[in-house]
Amino acid sequence: MKTEQPNYYPSNHPPDDFAEADRAAGFEVGADFERFDQRNDMFSRAFWDDGVQSKEALAFFRSHADRPASRQADGFTQKDYALRNAAWAVADDYADRNKANGLREGFQDPQEPRYPPAEQKLKIDDPAAMTLEIKRVAHFFGAHMAGVTALDPRWLYATRTEVRSFEPKPNDLPDGLTNVIVMGHGMDYDLVNAYPSALAGAAVGMGYSGEATTVAQLSQYIRNLGYQAVGSMNDTALVIPMAIQAGLGEYGRNQMVITKDYGPRVRFSKIFTDMPLAHDQPKPFGVTEFCNVCRRCADACPPKALPFGPPEVGRANRSAIKGVKKWTADCEKCFGFWVKMKSDCAICMRVCPFNKDFRKPIMRLARRLAGTRLRRLMLWLDIKLGYGKRIAPNKWWNP
Amino acid sequence: MKTEQPNYYPSNHPPDDFAEADRAAGFEVGADFERFDQRNDMFSRAFWDDGVQSKEALAFFRSHADRPASRQADGFTQKDYALRNAAWAVADDYADRNKANGLREGFQDPQEPRYPPAEQKLKIDDPAAMTLEIKRVAHFFGAHMAGVTALDPRWLYATRTEVRSFEPKPNDLPDGLTNVIVMGHGMDYDLVNAYPSALAGAAVGMGYSGEATTVAQLSQYIRNLGYQAVGSMNDTALVIPMAIQAGLGEYGRNQMVITKDYGPRVRFSKIFTDMPLAHDQPKPFGVTEFCNVCRRCADACPPKALPFGPPEVGRANRSAIKGVKKWTADCEKCFGFWVKMKSDCAICMRVCPFNKDFRKPIMRLARRLAGTRLRRLMLWLDIKLGYGKRIAPNKWWNP
């Protein structure tokens, strides 16, 4: 593990010392790279961009609130919506805590600290040992995985979004936050297999609600030890590249971090801190090579929002980051489909051959196969054996 | 399971139809029974009762906040306090949500509903099937156990406590809440074995934080189905008799509900609802008979706050309920010890022979033995084999 901290500084033009980090993570970042503006993500654009804003888009958001209009189709009944929306309740409660002050914690703004850092700072002689301990505490507070990386300012949003006006506002962080603890919350296997449906969205709600509490607890733990800690969910920075840099997984064609224990079924959150910690390294296990030959997500995507070809620089629209060579979705098509369905969609998560219950030895064997030159065989078997098929939501209710 | 609802009504003098419920639960409630006033519990008295209030008592509460004074003894270092207080963060965040309105949600007031009940009411033809489903959803939202009972108004607090003045205020509930869903969150076995220590209190904090989120989610789920649901933790009613009536365990000499899966290591919460549900029955498994011959908790209690004799009517002070024949602690002595330690204490939970890791088959065998006439043998073995001994908190940090 590396313990020295690279001298990263916020800039739209990354200095040369990113080169090594990018090699390890498999990133290709061009000279035309620009930090991403949060107001360009689809969830923000739905509120300010005439090209995206619509009555239907607002209905999509509203359907997550109290009285969803039940569609009486399997997966879209009152019970399905009830479960999904209730699963979100904790994340929503945190998001609304400081609504009166124009904050949307966990989504457009980091969590407000419960208490400031203790005056007494715990002496840390061995950052590597402290890192192991922090990861153990993260698990104690409900995270399913945790990794640490240096704060790479390229992934910080260029600006945050002011949720009342949807105008940009500064993405301020305290000085000295050199490290990021990235955490993952695994999602329910059976629910994800019920995508697309309102019921399946309960897995997302549970992920976000779990994040909200783990981030609140772990960030307060760090502050109780005298260090700064800014707890963050979807706000403040792109978590995907950070999760990869922190060794939690590899980037997939479906735009997701494919993790070893939960495949693509993970919600990520992060804590920015000045606590001295050792850094994890990216840990590839064959995902890139697998995605090169597999197009199951792209094939299965109803609005054809996912790429079929190799990673590319370039973007379909302003919701994609500029200057990074990668598989990039057309988020307008993706979100457009959500709005039409009045529900989120993650078919690309469901059909991914890495979407398995890896507690089972046979599935771990399949994962190992996927990481070898026999990956095409694994893919063939995966399809042949019927993995990735939708499970009727009704089955979740009546197991 | 019983599905008809007894015609319970709030009264200080329970009607005759409690008799059957009390026989099943093993309760002996006398004619002089009076509902308990929440302001008589020690946590309230510390703020208004001259006999309890002290600088030290306030310091106890303060030590749960941001900057605990580290005592540098094993189990009381900055890390121990940091973990305990961070574990509480979510319960505290919920408690403080409506502080400005004089509420302390989950402790002196029930949780404010996120959204009111949906206008459309789910049709429930089979309350027994619905009950099984509600229990499954409770588990999905993080409860480790759940049971249902008729709302027995004797356990409702006679009054709530106004947290600004510590004066009594009405304990109002909406009409028609005939059922109670009681939930339990199991506590970490290793942490409980580290009692007494600040570290061990992290198990309590996790319990309360878990309760806060499960109650928020499950009560919103029920409201999303069109029914009323009032989410409650320590507020509104005594949960111990409700947990017993709901079949979650038996009452022990240590004042705790002894559950089958977690022994005494459980925090309980509840949801009051008008959803038609089937009722569980008390499920004794030999605890009463065991506690009759076992005095480990009473022996181990440093301030000797626990009774050595058989269940009795009568009370040491106003913090005990009136007119119930049961094992009753002297809460003034108990809380006085907490204040002296500047930390909570649950030695009586640690030394209880039912404090076992029942995931292990051998421990389930011991539990079965404890429920037979060989209970004295089990007790002898339990002591002989060294169960109930304190584990150094340092061991938790360095497993």
Side-chain angles (χ1 to χ4, degrees):
Chain A
M1 286 192 220
K2 265 179 18 177
T3 55
E4 91 257 20
Q5 322 241 336
N7 181 26
Y8 289 169
Y9 48 87
S11 156
N12 281 344
H13 301 280
D16 288 343
D17 59 6
F18 288 135
E20 194 204 317
D22 287 353
R23 252 194 312 279
F27 296 163
E28 292 187 49
V29 182
D32 61 336
F33 170 82
E34 276 177 27
R35 286 201 287 153
F36 189 72
D37 256 312
Q38 193 181 10
R39 65 194 294 274
N40 284 335
D41 75 21
M42 295 307 300
F43 305 115
S44 300
R45 287 174 68 195
F47 291 91
W48 67 261
D49 185 337
D50 289 342
V52 178
Q53 208 171 16
S54 68
K55 259 200 294 193
E56 291 74 22
L58 293 179
F60 163 80
F61 291 109
R62 254 204 321 272
S63 85
H64 283 76
D66 55 339
R67 293 164 193 196
S70 184
R71 270 155 59 197
Q72 300 302 340
D74 187 22
F76 296 92
T77 65
Q78 186 175 10
K79 266 196 333 197
D80 298 314
Y81 284 110
L83 191 80
R84 181 191 69 180
N85 295 5
W88 273 92
V90 177
D92 289 342
D93 283 341
Y94 270 90
D96 286 353
R97 281 198 303 176
N98 288 294
K99 197 178 176 178
N101 308 327
L103 301 182
R104 194 156 176 263
E105 292 180 52
F107 295 91
Q108 263 96 0
D109 299 277
Q111 281 188 356
E112 290 289 292
R114 178 162 182 80
Y115 295 114
E119 270 163 34
Q120 185 182 316
K121 222 174 198 160
L122 183 81
K123 206 166 157 264
I124 297 173
D125 298 319
D126 182 346
M130 191 68 204
T131 303
L132 288 177
E133 198 167 284
I134 284 285
K135 288 182 187 179
R136 187 163 167 248
V137 172
H139 278 90
F140 178 69
F141 287 142
H144 296 129
M145 60 189 79
V148 177
T149 183
L151 174 56
D152 185 332
R154 294 175 298 177
W155 316 130
L156 292 172
Y157 293 137
T159 62
R160 282 182 202 160
T161 310
E162 195 347 282
V163 286
R164 289 169 294 200
S165 63
F166 281 90
E167 289 295 319
K169 69 179 181 185
N171 188 14
D172 290 333
L173 280 177
D175 285 337
L177 303 182
T178 48
N179 291 323
V180 192
I181 302 158
V182 185
M183 291 176 291
H185 284 74
M187 294 162 70
D188 189 276
Y189 179 65
D190 295 321
L191 282 177
V192 166
N193 287 333
Y195 263 114
S197 62
L199 173 70
V204 183
M206 285 306 279
Y208 277 108
S209 286
E211 280 180 28
T213 64
T214 303
V215 164
Q217 290 172 313
L218 186 61
S219 64
Q220 189 54 50
Y221 175 67
I222 294 169
R223 289 189 295 271
N224 287 348
L225 297 179
Y227 294 90
Q228 294 185 84
V230 175
S232 171
M233 293 165 52
N234 285 6
D235 54 277
T236 309
L238 296 167
V239 79
I240 285 184
M242 291 180 171
I244 296 166
Q245 290 176 325
L248 298 184
E250 270 183 273
Y251 190 70
R253 181 184 293 277
N254 60 3
Q255 320 282 293
M256 291 167 187
V257 178
I258 312 295
T259 65
K260 212 160 174 196
D261 290 339
Y262 292 84
R265 297 192 321 281
V266 181
R267 317 303 316 183
F268 289 103
S269 55
K270 66 259 187 206
I271 293 173
F272 305 100
T273 183
D274 58 0
M275 177 176 269
L277 295 170
H279 297 160
D280 289 294
Q281 291 295 328
K283 296 186 192 81
F285 57 102
V287 173
T288 308
E289 294 81 356
F290 191 90
C291 289
N292 276 331
V293 302
C294 174
R295 282 165 191 82
R296 289 199 74 183
C297 54
D299 282 331
C301 177
K304 294 285 168 267
L306 288 172
F308 287 87
E312 283 179 329
V313 185
R315 52 185 196 163
N317 55 61
R318 66 194 306 154
S319 286
I321 197 164
K322 219 183 138 183
V324 180
K325 186 172 172 186
K326 67 181 198 66
W327 286 301
T328 295
D330 183 331
C331 294
E332 291 181 5
K333 285 187 186 168
C334 172
F335 184 69
F337 182 69
W338 291 25
V339 166
K340 226 172 69 184
M341 280 226 307
K342 290 192 186 72
S343 175
D344 63 333
C345 171
I347 294 175
C348 55
M349 183 185 277
R350 187 193 86 210
V351 302
C352 175
F354 287 101
N355 174 30
K356 294 278 180 291
D357 182 352
F358 290 118
R359 288 170 304 183
K360 295 183 183 166
I362 183 81
M363 296 306 161
R364 295 200 291 274
L365 196 71
R367 180 180 64 200
R368 208 195 288 179
L369 197 64
T372 68
R373 280 199 267 176
L374 294 173
R375 57 184 70 93
R376 280 179 201 273
L377 172 65
M378 188 278 186
L379 178 56
W380 181 84
L381 276 169
D382 198 59
I383 297 168
K384 207 75 190 164
L385 294 170
Y387 284 98
K389 283 213 181 105
R390 181 175 188 253
I391 286 167
N394 192 35
K395 270 213 169 161
W396 190 86
W397 287 107
N398 303 290
Chain B
M1 284 191 222
K2 269 187 1 185
T3 54
E4 92 258 18
Q5 321 242 334
N7 181 26
Y8 290 168
Y9 48 89
S11 158
N12 281 344
H13 301 281
D16 288 342
D17 59 3
F18 288 136
E20 195 204 316
D22 286 353
R23 252 194 312 277
F27 295 164
E28 293 187 49
V29 182
D32 61 335
F33 170 82
E34 276 177 28
R35 286 201 285 153
F36 189 72
D37 256 313
Q38 192 182 10
R39 66 194 293 273
N40 283 335
D41 75 20
M42 296 307 299
F43 304 116
S44 300
R45 287 174 68 195
F47 290 91
W48 68 262
D49 185 336
D50 288 343
V52 178
Q53 208 171 17
S54 68
K55 260 201 293 197
E56 292 74 22
L58 293 179
F60 163 80
F61 292 109
R62 255 203 320 274
S63 84
H64 282 75
D66 56 338
R67 293 165 192 193
S70 185
R71 271 155 59 194
Q72 301 301 340
D74 187 21
F76 297 91
T77 65
Q78 185 175 12
K79 267 197 328 198
D80 298 314
Y81 284 109
L83 191 79
R84 181 191 69 179
N85 296 4
W88 273 92
V90 177
D92 289 343
D93 283 341
Y94 270 90
D96 287 352
R97 281 197 302 174
N98 288 294
K99 197 178 176 178
N101 308 327
L103 300 182
R104 194 156 176 263
E105 291 180 52
F107 295 91
Q108 264 96 359
D109 298 277
Q111 280 188 357
E112 290 289 293
R114 177 160 183 82
Y115 295 115
E119 270 163 33
Q120 185 182 317
K121 223 173 197 162
L122 184 79
K123 208 167 155 264
I124 297 173
D125 298 319
D126 183 347
M130 191 68 206
T131 304
L132 288 177
E133 198 169 284
I134 283 286
K135 288 183 188 179
R136 185 161 168 249
V137 172
H139 279 89
F140 178 69
F141 287 142
H144 296 129
M145 61 189 81
V148 178
T149 183
L151 174 56
D152 185 333
R154 293 176 298 177
W155 317 131
L156 291 172
Y157 293 137
T159 62
R160 284 182 200 158
T161 310
E162 196 343 285
V163 287
R164 289 169 293 200
S165 63
F166 280 90
E167 289 294 319
K169 70 178 180 185
N171 188 15
D172 290 333
L173 280 177
D175 286 336
L177 303 181
T178 49
N179 292 322
V180 192
I181 302 159
V182 185
M183 292 177 289
H185 284 75
M187 295 163 69
D188 189 278
Y189 180 66
D190 295 322
L191 282 177
V192 165
N193 287 332
Y195 263 112
S197 62
L199 173 69
V204 183
M206 285 305 279
Y208 277 108
S209 286
E211 280 180 31
T213 63
T214 303
V215 164
Q217 290 171 312
L218 186 61
S219 63
Q220 190 54 50
Y221 175 67
I222 295 169
R223 289 189 295 271
N224 287 348
L225 298 180
Y227 293 91
Q228 294 186 82
V230 175
S232 170
M233 293 165 50
N234 286 6
D235 54 277
T236 310
L238 296 167
V239 79
I240 285 184
M242 291 179 171
I244 296 165
Q245 290 175 326
L248 298 183
E250 273 183 272
Y251 190 70
R253 181 183 294 278
N254 60 4
Q255 320 282 292
M256 290 167 188
V257 178
I258 312 296
T259 65
K260 211 157 174 197
D261 290 340
Y262 291 85
R265 297 193 321 280
V266 181
R267 317 303 315 183
F268 290 103
S269 55
K270 67 262 187 202
I271 294 174
F272 304 100
T273 184
D274 57 1
M275 176 177 270
L277 295 170
H279 298 159
D280 289 294
Q281 290 295 329
K283 296 187 191 81
F285 57 102
V287 173
T288 308
E289 294 81 355
F290 192 90
C291 289
N292 275 332
V293 302
C294 174
R295 282 165 190 81
R296 289 198 74 183
C297 54
D299 283 330
C301 176
K304 293 285 168 268
L306 288 172
F308 286 87
E312 284 179 327
V313 186
R315 52 185 198 165
N317 55 61
R318 65 194 308 152
S319 286
I321 197 164
K322 220 183 138 186
V324 180
K325 185 171 173 187
K326 67 181 199 65
W327 286 300
T328 296
D330 183 330
C331 294
E332 290 180 6
K333 285 187 187 168
C334 172
F335 184 70
F337 181 69
W338 290 24
V339 166
K340 225 171 69 183
M341 279 225 309
K342 289 193 188 69
S343 175
D344 63 334
C345 170
I347 293 175
C348 54
M349 183 185 277
R350 186 192 88 210
V351 303
C352 176
F354 288 100
N355 174 30
K356 294 278 181 293
D357 182 352
F358 290 118
R359 289 170 303 183
K360 296 184 182 165
I362 182 79
M363 296 306 161
R364 295 200 291 273
L365 196 70
R367 181 180 63 197
R368 208 198 287 181
L369 197 65
T372 69
R373 280 200 265 177
L374 294 173
R375 58 185 68 93
R376 280 179 201 273
L377 172 65
M378 187 278 185
L379 178 57
W380 180 83
L381 276 169
D382 198 60
I383 297 168
K384 207 74 190 165
L385 295 171
Y387 285 97
K389 282 212 181 109
R390 180 175 189 254
I391 286 166
N394 192 34
K395 270 213 168 162
W396 190 87
W397 288 108
N398 303 289

